Amino acid sequence: SLDHQEMELHQTQLRLIRDQTATFLRDVNLLRQEVAMLRAAQDERHQDFSAALDVRSRELREAMERDRKELLAGHGTVLEKLSALQSEVPRQHEDRVAAQTLFERRLAEICEEV
């Protein structure tokens, strides 16, 4: 009869809705698991990247510190050489004045002889 057919149709529709709902929930749970796995992988990559970045940053700081020390050491050497040259200037000036005076005397002697 028609009522019985309607009831069977209704039950079939309910069963179909339950099956579709169960399939949907299963798919949602699979998606949740995949998202959780992707997040875990991303967190791991982020940690690896952070660790590598920390190592590289430390290496760069150490290299900069070595370069700074070498530069300061070289700067100190330049200052020492400059100081040594500055201390020699008065002595060299005195030697030059003495040589010029000696030259002028010798020239005067030669001129008197001529």
Side-chain angles (χ1 to χ4, degrees), residues 16-33:
L16 182 60
I17 289 173
R18 279 194 298 269
D19 288 347
Q20 288 177 339
T21 303
T23 301
F24 175 74
L25 290 175
R26 197 170 37 252
D27 289 347
V28 167
N29 283 331
L30 286 173
L31 286 172
R32 283 182 179 160
Q33 289 174 357

Side-chain angles (χ1 to χ4, degrees), residues 25-106:
L25 290 175
R26 197 170 37 252
D27 289 347
V28 167
N29 283 331
L30 286 173
L31 286 172
R32 283 182 179 160
Q33 289 174 357
E34 286 181 32
V35 167
M37 288 171 37
L38 289 172
R39 283 184 179 159
Q42 182 182 9
D43 288 346
E44 185 178 336
R45 281 192 302 271
H46 177 65
Q47 289 173 352
D48 291 346
F49 179 73
S50 262
L53 187 61
D54 288 344
V55 167
R56 187 63 180 138
S57 177
R58 184 176 51 252
E59 289 172 350
L60 287 173
R61 279 194 305 273
E62 290 170 357
M64 286 175 54
E65 182 62 22
R66 276 192 312 273
D67 290 348
R68 186 184 71 80
K69 287 180 180 177
E70 288 174 9
L71 183 62
L72 288 176
H75 183 70
T77 302
V78 168
L79 288 178
E80 290 170 6
K81 288 179 180 178
L82 180 61
S83 177
L85 288 173
Q86 286 175 334
S87 66
E88 288 182 30
V89 167
R91 183 186 56 78
Q92 289 179 354
H93 178 69
E94 290 172 5
D95 290 349
R96 186 170 300 236
V97 168
Q100 184 176 355
T101 304
L102 181 62
F103 175 75
E104 288 172 354
R105 282 187 200 155
R106 190 77 177 120

Side-chain angles (χ1 to χ4, degrees), residues 6-20:
E6 284 181 3
M7 188 185 291
E8 282 182 13
L9 179 62
H10 182 66
Q11 287 177 354
T12 302
Q13 287 175 338
L14 286 176
R15 193 171 31 254
L16 182 60
I17 289 173
R18 279 194 298 269
D19 288 347
Q20 288 177 339

